[in-house]
Amino acid sequence: MNKIFVQDLLGWLDQQLKPALFQDYAPNGLQVQGKPEIKKVITGVTASAQLLQIAADKGADAVLVHHGWFWKGENPCVVGSKYQRMELAIRHGLNIIGYHLPLDAHPEWGNNAQLARVLGLIPDRADDGSGQPVVFGRGGLIWSGAVPGGLRTLADLGAHIETALGRSPLLIGNNERPLRRIAWCTGGAQGMFEEAIARGVDVYLTGEASEQVYHQAMESGVAYIGAGHHATERYGVQALGQAVAARFGVDVEFVDLPNPV
Ligand SMILES: [Zn+2]
């Protein structure tokens, strides 16, 4: 297995994911400095204390995640679970590397692209020959496309999602409603339902739900699916990890720590 400098990995990740293009809620890239060289990377959805302990036990030098630390509005003091996580990272020399919105949006490795792959959704593509996905909404984070052939109704799509993600989704709307057009945004994008409704789709899929989405679904006739924040965001960081392994020849291992939310 290869050994690489952290700076080389970070330079490449920034080049691929272009964090400067995003107005994000947390810093992207290196969040906590660790060992200067990397042989083994652990990837995961969230840089929780449990993930860091597993990374340390496996002898990793870096943890690459979708949900890192230092979110806007959180208590900045290094106390409680923030202290516990930082102490673990620093004691074991773990580099903590996080990419949030850039890893939702990436056209190939992003969470939206990878969820489409896992569920068989057929993304709309630009007709300019670039093959780029058609995106809309705040920050261009919502994708649209076609429901996989053979799935006619909300009930059909719900059953398909349950099989593909291993988790029963929340379905809001008429179960027998025929579906053709779908919009999706992984994670906690319940606040973008209105933009999806305005786009004229039959169903909107995201990870979480809030109370008001029930009424929005009932009043608009557009179905709503809450398929799990964690469950919809497991795939981007895995694809990115595979790309890192292919590019640098370092050992990359994904650790899934299931989360019911
Ligand atoms: Zn998320």
Side-chain angles (χ1 to χ4, degrees), residues 1-17 36-41 62 64 97 99 109 239-252:
M1 279 293 157
N2 250 341
K3 193 179 198 180
I4 57 167
F5 287 109
V6 176
Q7 290 311 323
D8 292 338
L9 174 62
L10 293 169
W12 183 80
L13 285 169
D14 277 354
Q15 198 180 61
Q16 301 300 320
L17 295 165
E37 290 183 301
I38 295 178
K39 276 201 303 273
K40 182 172 177 75
V41 180
L64 173 63
I97 305 169
Y99 285 91
W109 308 322
L240 182 63
Q242 284 168 8
V244 167
R247 172 71 178 76
F248 293 102
V250 292
D251 181 10
V252 180

mmCIF file of all heavy atoms in Angstrom, residues 1-17 36-41 62 64 97 99 109 239-252:
data_model
loop_
_atom_site.group_PDB
_atom_site.id
_atom_site.type_symbol
_atom_site.label_atom_id
_atom_site.label_comp_id
_atom_site.label_asym_id
_atom_site.label_seq_id
_atom_site.Cartn_x
_atom_site.Cartn_y
_atom_site.Cartn_z
ATOM 1 N N MET A 1 0.831 -1.207 0.000
ATOM 2 C CA MET A 1 0.000 0.000 0.000
ATOM 3 C C MET A 1 0.865 1.257 0.000
ATOM 4 O O MET A 1 1.912 1.303 0.631
ATOM 5 C CB MET A 1 -0.911 0.003 1.236
ATOM 6 C CG MET A 1 -2.146 -0.852 1.044
ATOM 7 S SD MET A 1 -3.245 -0.164 -0.221
ATOM 8 C CE MET A 1 -4.147 -1.639 -0.696
ATOM 9 N N ASN A 2 0.372 2.235 -0.674
ATOM 10 C CA ASN A 2 1.092 3.507 -0.810
ATOM 11 C C ASN A 2 0.971 4.376 0.442
ATOM 12 O O ASN A 2 0.073 4.192 1.252
ATOM 13 C CB ASN A 2 0.488 4.291 -1.966
ATOM 14 C CG ASN A 2 1.443 4.354 -3.129
ATOM 15 O OD1 ASN A 2 2.636 4.140 -2.971
ATOM 16 N ND2 ASN A 2 0.919 4.685 -4.283
ATOM 17 N N LYS A 3 1.865 5.342 0.497
ATOM 18 C CA LYS A 3 1.842 6.337 1.566
ATOM 19 C C LYS A 3 1.870 7.699 0.872
ATOM 20 O O LYS A 3 2.681 7.897 -0.046
ATOM 21 C CB LYS A 3 3.112 6.135 2.392
ATOM 22 C CG LYS A 3 3.164 6.841 3.703
ATOM 23 C CD LYS A 3 4.504 6.484 4.365
ATOM 24 C CE LYS A 3 4.492 6.758 5.833
ATOM 25 N NZ LYS A 3 5.792 6.401 6.447
ATOM 26 N N ILE A 4 0.988 8.607 1.269
ATOM 27 C CA ILE A 4 0.937 9.914 0.594
ATOM 28 C C ILE A 4 0.938 11.045 1.612
ATOM 29 O O ILE A 4 0.575 10.843 2.779
ATOM 30 C CB ILE A 4 -0.323 10.048 -0.305
ATOM 31 C CG1 ILE A 4 -1.598 9.836 0.527
ATOM 32 C CG2 ILE A 4 -0.257 9.068 -1.459
ATOM 33 C CD1 ILE A 4 -2.863 10.244 -0.184
ATOM 34 N N PHE A 5 1.337 12.210 1.157
ATOM 35 C CA PHE A 5 1.278 13.385 2.027
ATOM 36 C C PHE A 5 -0.164 13.885 2.117
ATOM 37 O O PHE A 5 -0.881 13.914 1.104
ATOM 38 C CB PHE A 5 2.176 14.502 1.489
ATOM 39 C CG PHE A 5 3.637 14.222 1.685
ATOM 40 C CD1 PHE A 5 4.448 13.912 0.596
ATOM 41 C CD2 PHE A 5 4.205 14.263 2.958
ATOM 42 C CE1 PHE A 5 5.801 13.635 0.773
ATOM 43 C CE2 PHE A 5 5.560 13.992 3.134
ATOM 44 C CZ PHE A 5 6.361 13.674 2.050
ATOM 45 N N VAL A 6 -0.560 14.282 3.299
ATOM 46 C CA VAL A 6 -1.911 14.821 3.507
ATOM 47 C C VAL A 6 -2.176 15.961 2.523
ATOM 48 O O VAL A 6 -3.265 16.052 1.947
ATOM 49 C CB VAL A 6 -2.065 15.339 4.955
ATOM 50 C CG1 VAL A 6 -3.430 15.980 5.141
ATOM 51 C CG2 VAL A 6 -1.881 14.220 5.955
ATOM 52 N N GLN A 7 -1.176 16.820 2.326
ATOM 53 C CA GLN A 7 -1.379 17.984 1.467
ATOM 54 C C GLN A 7 -1.709 17.579 0.029
ATOM 55 O O GLN A 7 -2.485 18.256 -0.652
ATOM 56 C CB GLN A 7 -0.141 18.896 1.488
ATOM 57 C CG GLN A 7 0.053 19.624 2.822
ATOM 58 C CD GLN A 7 -1.213 20.311 3.339
ATOM 59 O OE1 GLN A 7 -2.005 20.862 2.575
ATOM 60 N NE2 GLN A 7 -1.429 20.265 4.648
ATOM 61 N N ASP A 8 -1.117 16.469 -0.422
ATOM 62 C CA ASP A 8 -1.409 16.008 -1.789
ATOM 63 C C ASP A 8 -2.852 15.521 -1.896
ATOM 64 O O ASP A 8 -3.550 15.787 -2.880
ATOM 65 C CB ASP A 8 -0.440 14.890 -2.191
ATOM 66 C CG ASP A 8 0.983 15.418 -2.338
ATOM 67 O OD1 ASP A 8 1.137 16.648 -2.539
ATOM 68 O OD2 ASP A 8 1.924 14.618 -2.236
ATOM 69 N N LEU A 9 -3.294 14.803 -0.864
ATOM 70 C CA LEU A 9 -4.683 14.328 -0.859
ATOM 71 C C LEU A 9 -5.647 15.516 -0.824
ATOM 72 O O LEU A 9 -6.616 15.570 -1.589
ATOM 73 C CB LEU A 9 -4.916 13.419 0.356
ATOM 74 C CG LEU A 9 -6.361 12.969 0.581
ATOM 75 C CD1 LEU A 9 -6.871 12.136 -0.599
ATOM 76 C CD2 LEU A 9 -6.500 12.179 1.887
ATOM 77 N N LEU A 10 -5.363 16.480 0.036
ATOM 78 C CA LEU A 10 -6.266 17.637 0.178
ATOM 79 C C LEU A 10 -6.326 18.454 -1.112
ATOM 80 O O LEU A 10 -7.399 18.917 -1.516
ATOM 81 C CB LEU A 10 -5.804 18.529 1.333
ATOM 82 C CG LEU A 10 -5.918 17.896 2.732
ATOM 83 C CD1 LEU A 10 -5.196 18.761 3.751
ATOM 84 C CD2 LEU A 10 -7.380 17.694 3.130
ATOM 85 N N GLY A 11 -5.174 18.611 -1.746
ATOM 86 C CA GLY A 11 -5.136 19.366 -3.001
ATOM 87 C C GLY A 11 -6.006 18.713 -4.059
ATOM 88 O O GLY A 11 -6.779 19.382 -4.762
ATOM 89 N N TRP A 12 -5.906 17.401 -4.146
ATOM 90 C CA TRP A 12 -6.692 16.665 -5.141
ATOM 91 C C TRP A 12 -8.186 16.712 -4.810
ATOM 92 O O TRP A 12 -9.033 16.929 -5.692
ATOM 93 C CB TRP A 12 -6.206 15.213 -5.214
ATOM 94 C CG TRP A 12 -6.895 14.407 -6.257
ATOM 95 C CD1 TRP A 12 -6.644 14.387 -7.603
ATOM 96 C CD2 TRP A 12 -7.987 13.486 -6.037
ATOM 97 N NE1 TRP A 12 -7.508 13.510 -8.236
ATOM 98 C CE2 TRP A 12 -8.329 12.945 -7.295
ATOM 99 C CE3 TRP A 12 -8.687 13.058 -4.907
ATOM 100 C CZ2 TRP A 12 -9.351 12.006 -7.446
ATOM 101 C CZ3 TRP A 12 -9.707 12.128 -5.065
ATOM 102 C CH2 TRP A 12 -10.023 11.617 -6.316
ATOM 103 N N LEU A 13 -8.516 16.531 -3.535
ATOM 104 C CA LEU A 13 -9.935 16.559 -3.132
ATOM 105 C C LEU A 13 -10.564 17.919 -3.448
ATOM 106 O O LEU A 13 -11.675 17.996 -3.966
ATOM 107 C CB LEU A 13 -10.067 16.258 -1.630
ATOM 108 C CG LEU A 13 -9.870 14.799 -1.215
ATOM 109 C CD1 LEU A 13 -9.756 14.684 0.311
ATOM 110 C CD2 LEU A 13 -11.002 13.909 -1.727
ATOM 111 N N ASP A 14 -9.828 18.998 -3.154
ATOM 112 C CA ASP A 14 -10.360 20.336 -3.439
ATOM 113 C C ASP A 14 -10.543 20.557 -4.936
ATOM 114 O O ASP A 14 -11.512 21.193 -5.376
ATOM 115 C CB ASP A 14 -9.434 21.415 -2.864
ATOM 116 C CG ASP A 14 -9.696 21.657 -1.380
ATOM 117 O OD1 ASP A 14 -10.667 21.074 -0.851
ATOM 118 O OD2 ASP A 14 -8.933 22.416 -0.764
ATOM 119 N N GLN A 15 -9.597 20.028 -5.701
ATOM 120 C CA GLN A 15 -9.684 20.164 -7.157
ATOM 121 C C GLN A 15 -10.929 19.435 -7.694
ATOM 122 O O GLN A 15 -11.622 19.916 -8.577
ATOM 123 C CB GLN A 15 -8.431 19.503 -7.717
ATOM 124 C CG GLN A 15 -8.043 19.841 -9.105
ATOM 125 C CD GLN A 15 -6.768 19.071 -9.440
ATOM 126 O OE1 GLN A 15 -6.764 17.824 -9.423
ATOM 127 N NE2 GLN A 15 -5.692 19.776 -9.715
ATOM 128 N N GLN A 16 -11.226 18.280 -7.127
ATOM 129 C CA GLN A 16 -12.360 17.483 -7.598
ATOM 130 C C GLN A 16 -13.697 18.037 -7.100
ATOM 131 O O GLN A 16 -14.677 18.067 -7.826
ATOM 132 C CB GLN A 16 -12.223 16.025 -7.117
ATOM 133 C CG GLN A 16 -10.958 15.324 -7.577
ATOM 134 C CD GLN A 16 -10.837 15.256 -9.090
ATOM 135 O OE1 GLN A 16 -11.824 15.013 -9.792
ATOM 136 N NE2 GLN A 16 -9.641 15.489 -9.609
ATOM 137 N N LEU A 17 -13.720 18.446 -5.829
ATOM 138 C CA LEU A 17 -15.002 18.761 -5.186
ATOM 139 C C LEU A 17 -15.322 20.257 -5.176
ATOM 140 O O LEU A 17 -16.452 20.644 -4.886
ATOM 141 C CB LEU A 17 -15.026 18.211 -3.753
ATOM 142 C CG LEU A 17 -14.980 16.679 -3.666
ATOM 143 C CD1 LEU A 17 -14.647 16.214 -2.255
ATOM 144 C CD2 LEU A 17 -16.314 16.071 -4.100
ATOM 145 N N PRO A 36 1.379 13.761 9.222
ATOM 146 C CA PRO A 36 1.624 14.389 7.918
ATOM 147 C C PRO A 36 1.494 13.437 6.725
ATOM 148 O O PRO A 36 1.326 13.884 5.598
ATOM 149 C CB PRO A 36 3.056 14.921 8.032
ATOM 150 C CG PRO A 36 3.681 14.130 9.142
ATOM 151 C CD PRO A 36 2.579 13.728 10.075
ATOM 152 N N GLU A 37 1.572 12.119 6.998
ATOM 153 C CA GLU A 37 1.465 11.162 5.897
ATOM 154 C C GLU A 37 0.329 10.169 6.161
ATOM 155 O O GLU A 37 0.012 9.860 7.308
ATOM 156 C CB GLU A 37 2.785 10.406 5.713
ATOM 157 C CG GLU A 37 3.890 11.298 5.151
ATOM 158 C CD GLU A 37 5.169 10.503 4.901
ATOM 159 O OE1 GLU A 37 5.693 9.917 5.863
ATOM 160 O OE2 GLU A 37 5.611 10.468 3.742
ATOM 161 N N ILE A 38 -0.241 9.684 5.048
ATOM 162 C CA ILE A 38 -1.429 8.821 5.144
ATOM 163 C C ILE A 38 -1.194 7.504 4.411
ATOM 164 O O ILE A 38 -0.822 7.494 3.233
ATOM 165 C CB ILE A 38 -2.651 9.529 4.513
ATOM 166 C CG1 ILE A 38 -3.010 10.774 5.315
ATOM 167 C CG2 ILE A 38 -3.854 8.596 4.442
ATOM 168 C CD1 ILE A 38 -4.167 11.553 4.737
ATOM 169 N N LYS A 39 -1.452 6.408 5.119
ATOM 170 C CA LYS A 39 -1.450 5.071 4.489
ATOM 171 C C LYS A 39 -2.856 4.487 4.455
ATOM 172 O O LYS A 39 -3.216 3.769 3.559
ATOM 173 C CB LYS A 39 -0.564 4.108 5.302
ATOM 174 C CG LYS A 39 0.906 4.165 4.978
ATOM 175 C CD LYS A 39 1.639 2.892 5.395
ATOM 176 C CE LYS A 39 1.510 2.549 6.868
ATOM 177 N NZ LYS A 39 2.515 3.184 7.713
ATOM 178 N N LYS A 40 -3.621 4.809 5.514
ATOM 179 C CA LYS A 40 -4.962 4.224 5.610
ATOM 180 C C LYS A 40 -6.001 5.300 5.938
ATOM 181 O O LYS A 40 -5.800 6.120 6.843
ATOM 182 C CB LYS A 40 -4.991 3.133 6.685
ATOM 183 C CG LYS A 40 -6.347 2.444 6.794
ATOM 184 C CD LYS A 40 -6.316 1.243 7.712
ATOM 185 C CE LYS A 40 -7.695 0.601 7.860
ATOM 186 N NZ LYS A 40 -8.120 -0.170 6.697
ATOM 187 N N VAL A 41 -7.096 5.250 5.199
ATOM 188 C CA VAL A 41 -8.192 6.207 5.380
ATOM 189 C C VAL A 41 -9.446 5.428 5.764
ATOM 190 O O VAL A 41 -9.782 4.434 5.117
ATOM 191 C CB VAL A 41 -8.476 6.980 4.068
ATOM 192 C CG1 VAL A 41 -9.628 7.969 4.255
ATOM 193 C CG2 VAL A 41 -7.226 7.684 3.576
ATOM 194 N N ALA A 62 -6.295 8.912 8.677
ATOM 195 C CA ALA A 62 -7.253 9.963 8.308
ATOM 196 C C ALA A 62 -8.669 9.402 8.342
ATOM 197 O O ALA A 62 -8.885 8.214 8.094
ATOM 198 C CB ALA A 62 -6.950 10.507 6.912
ATOM 199 N N LEU A 64 -12.288 10.406 6.619
ATOM 200 C CA LEU A 64 -12.913 11.223 5.566
ATOM 201 C C LEU A 64 -14.422 11.033 5.652
ATOM 202 O O LEU A 64 -14.903 9.902 5.535
ATOM 203 C CB LEU A 64 -12.383 10.773 4.199
ATOM 204 C CG LEU A 64 -13.030 11.373 2.948
ATOM 205 C CD1 LEU A 64 -12.825 12.879 2.886
ATOM 206 C CD2 LEU A 64 -12.443 10.719 1.686
ATOM 207 N N ILE A 97 -11.107 14.991 7.845
ATOM 208 C CA ILE A 97 -11.375 15.646 6.560
ATOM 209 C C ILE A 97 -12.864 15.509 6.250
ATOM 210 O O ILE A 97 -13.396 14.396 6.222
ATOM 211 C CB ILE A 97 -10.542 15.000 5.429
ATOM 212 C CG1 ILE A 97 -9.049 15.027 5.796
ATOM 213 C CG2 ILE A 97 -10.793 15.705 4.100
ATOM 214 C CD1 ILE A 97 -8.177 14.188 4.870
ATOM 215 N N TYR A 99 -16.250 16.839 3.777
ATOM 216 C CA TYR A 99 -16.834 17.565 2.635
ATOM 217 C C TYR A 99 -18.340 17.431 2.731
ATOM 218 O O TYR A 99 -18.866 16.327 2.664
ATOM 219 C CB TYR A 99 -16.312 17.032 1.296
ATOM 220 C CG TYR A 99 -14.897 17.477 1.024
ATOM 221 C CD1 TYR A 99 -13.820 16.693 1.435
ATOM 222 C CD2 TYR A 99 -14.637 18.696 0.409
ATOM 223 C CE1 TYR A 99 -12.507 17.113 1.213
ATOM 224 C CE2 TYR A 99 -13.341 19.121 0.186
ATOM 225 C CZ TYR A 99 -12.277 18.326 0.586
ATOM 226 O OH TYR A 99 -10.994 18.751 0.377
ATOM 227 N N TRP A 109 -19.669 11.359 -7.890
ATOM 228 C CA TRP A 109 -19.486 10.711 -6.583
ATOM 229 C C TRP A 109 -20.414 11.263 -5.526
ATOM 230 O O TRP A 109 -20.424 10.775 -4.395
ATOM 231 C CB TRP A 109 -18.037 10.900 -6.090
ATOM 232 C CG TRP A 109 -17.009 10.495 -7.076
ATOM 233 C CD1 TRP A 109 -17.077 9.423 -7.929
ATOM 234 C CD2 TRP A 109 -15.749 11.144 -7.345
ATOM 235 N NE1 TRP A 109 -15.938 9.363 -8.691
ATOM 236 C CE2 TRP A 109 -15.106 10.396 -8.356
ATOM 237 C CE3 TRP A 109 -15.115 12.263 -6.817
ATOM 238 C CZ2 TRP A 109 -13.852 10.756 -8.860
ATOM 239 C CZ3 TRP A 109 -13.857 12.610 -7.313
ATOM 240 C CH2 TRP A 109 -13.245 11.865 -8.321
ATOM 241 N N ALA A 239 -18.224 6.312 -2.649
ATOM 242 C CA ALA A 239 -17.745 6.525 -4.022
ATOM 243 C C ALA A 239 -16.480 7.376 -4.011
ATOM 244 O O ALA A 239 -15.516 7.101 -4.741
ATOM 245 C CB ALA A 239 -18.837 7.191 -4.861
ATOM 246 N N LEU A 240 -16.467 8.402 -3.164
ATOM 247 C CA LEU A 240 -15.281 9.258 -3.065
ATOM 248 C C LEU A 240 -14.090 8.448 -2.550
ATOM 249 O O LEU A 240 -12.966 8.599 -3.048
ATOM 250 C CB LEU A 240 -15.572 10.444 -2.137
ATOM 251 C CG LEU A 240 -14.436 11.460 -1.983
ATOM 252 C CD1 LEU A 240 -14.113 12.128 -3.321
ATOM 253 C CD2 LEU A 240 -14.782 12.508 -0.928
ATOM 254 N N GLY A 241 -14.336 7.601 -1.571
ATOM 255 C CA GLY A 241 -13.270 6.755 -1.024
ATOM 256 C C GLY A 241 -12.682 5.836 -2.080
ATOM 257 O O GLY A 241 -11.457 5.659 -2.158
ATOM 258 N N GLN A 242 -13.534 5.282 -2.912
ATOM 259 C CA GLN A 242 -13.047 4.414 -3.995
ATOM 260 C C GLN A 242 -12.197 5.208 -4.977
ATOM 261 O O GLN A 242 -11.189 4.719 -5.486
ATOM 262 C CB GLN A 242 -14.223 3.751 -4.720
ATOM 263 C CG GLN A 242 -14.824 2.605 -3.912
ATOM 264 C CD GLN A 242 -16.169 2.120 -4.471
ATOM 265 O OE1 GLN A 242 -16.574 2.544 -5.557
ATOM 266 N NE2 GLN A 242 -16.845 1.271 -3.733
ATOM 267 N N ALA A 243 -12.613 6.444 -5.228
ATOM 268 C CA ALA A 243 -11.841 7.294 -6.144
ATOM 269 C C ALA A 243 -10.480 7.639 -5.535
ATOM 270 O O ALA A 243 -9.465 7.660 -6.248
ATOM 271 C CB ALA A 243 -12.626 8.570 -6.456
ATOM 272 N N VAL A 244 -10.446 7.877 -4.236
ATOM 273 C CA VAL A 244 -9.170 8.167 -3.551
ATOM 274 C C VAL A 244 -8.243 6.950 -3.640
ATOM 275 O O VAL A 244 -7.049 7.090 -3.941
ATOM 276 C CB VAL A 244 -9.423 8.553 -2.068
ATOM 277 C CG1 VAL A 244 -8.130 8.542 -1.265
ATOM 278 C CG2 VAL A 244 -10.096 9.919 -1.977
ATOM 279 N N ALA A 245 -8.799 5.770 -3.384
ATOM 280 C CA ALA A 245 -7.990 4.545 -3.443
ATOM 281 C C ALA A 245 -7.433 4.339 -4.848
ATOM 282 O O ALA A 245 -6.259 3.977 -5.023
ATOM 283 C CB ALA A 245 -8.832 3.349 -3.018
ATOM 284 N N ALA A 246 -8.271 4.574 -5.852
ATOM 285 C CA ALA A 246 -7.835 4.378 -7.242
ATOM 286 C C ALA A 246 -6.769 5.403 -7.631
ATOM 287 O O ALA A 246 -5.814 5.080 -8.334
ATOM 288 C CB ALA A 246 -9.035 4.483 -8.183
ATOM 289 N N ARG A 247 -6.916 6.634 -7.153
ATOM 290 C CA ARG A 247 -6.000 7.704 -7.544
ATOM 291 C C ARG A 247 -4.651 7.576 -6.840
ATOM 292 O O ARG A 247 -3.606 7.811 -7.433
ATOM 293 C CB ARG A 247 -6.650 9.059 -7.217
ATOM 294 C CG ARG A 247 -5.770 10.289 -7.389
ATOM 295 C CD ARG A 247 -5.523 10.574 -8.863
ATOM 296 N NE ARG A 247 -4.713 11.780 -9.066
ATOM 297 C CZ ARG A 247 -3.398 11.835 -8.876
ATOM 298 N NH1 ARG A 247 -2.751 10.759 -8.484
ATOM 299 N NH2 ARG A 247 -2.745 12.975 -9.089
ATOM 300 N N PHE A 248 -4.656 7.207 -5.548
ATOM 301 C CA PHE A 248 -3.429 7.276 -4.740
ATOM 302 C C PHE A 248 -2.892 5.914 -4.297
ATOM 303 O O PHE A 248 -1.787 5.835 -3.757
ATOM 304 C CB PHE A 248 -3.666 8.144 -3.496
ATOM 305 C CG PHE A 248 -3.906 9.592 -3.806
ATOM 306 C CD1 PHE A 248 -5.178 10.129 -3.783
ATOM 307 C CD2 PHE A 248 -2.843 10.429 -4.132
ATOM 308 C CE1 PHE A 248 -5.405 11.470 -4.066
ATOM 309 C CE2 PHE A 248 -3.059 11.774 -4.423
ATOM 310 C CZ PHE A 248 -4.344 12.287 -4.389
ATOM 311 N N GLY A 249 -3.677 4.853 -4.446
ATOM 312 C CA GLY A 249 -3.203 3.540 -4.014
ATOM 313 C C GLY A 249 -3.081 3.373 -2.515
ATOM 314 O O GLY A 249 -2.361 2.497 -2.031
ATOM 315 N N VAL A 250 -3.778 4.207 -1.751
ATOM 316 C CA VAL A 250 -3.788 4.032 -0.297
ATOM 317 C C VAL A 250 -4.945 3.102 0.077
ATOM 318 O O VAL A 250 -5.844 2.842 -0.725
ATOM 319 C CB VAL A 250 -3.935 5.379 0.456
ATOM 320 C CG1 VAL A 250 -2.696 6.228 0.280
ATOM 321 C CG2 VAL A 250 -5.183 6.128 -0.001
ATOM 322 N N ASP A 251 -4.899 2.603 1.299
ATOM 323 C CA ASP A 251 -5.935 1.704 1.791
ATOM 324 C C ASP A 251 -7.122 2.551 2.271
ATOM 325 O O ASP A 251 -6.950 3.404 3.142
ATOM 326 C CB ASP A 251 -5.331 0.875 2.937
ATOM 327 C CG ASP A 251 -6.316 -0.122 3.516
ATOM 328 O OD1 ASP A 251 -7.389 -0.309 2.930
ATOM 329 O OD2 ASP A 251 -5.993 -0.701 4.574
ATOM 330 N N VAL A 252 -8.294 2.328 1.692
ATOM 331 C CA VAL A 252 -9.493 3.081 2.089
ATOM 332 C C VAL A 252 -10.567 2.086 2.497
ATOM 333 O O VAL A 252 -10.874 1.156 1.749
ATOM 334 C CB VAL A 252 -10.014 3.971 0.937
ATOM 335 C CG1 VAL A 252 -11.260 4.734 1.382
ATOM 336 C CG2 VAL A 252 -8.938 4.941 0.472
#
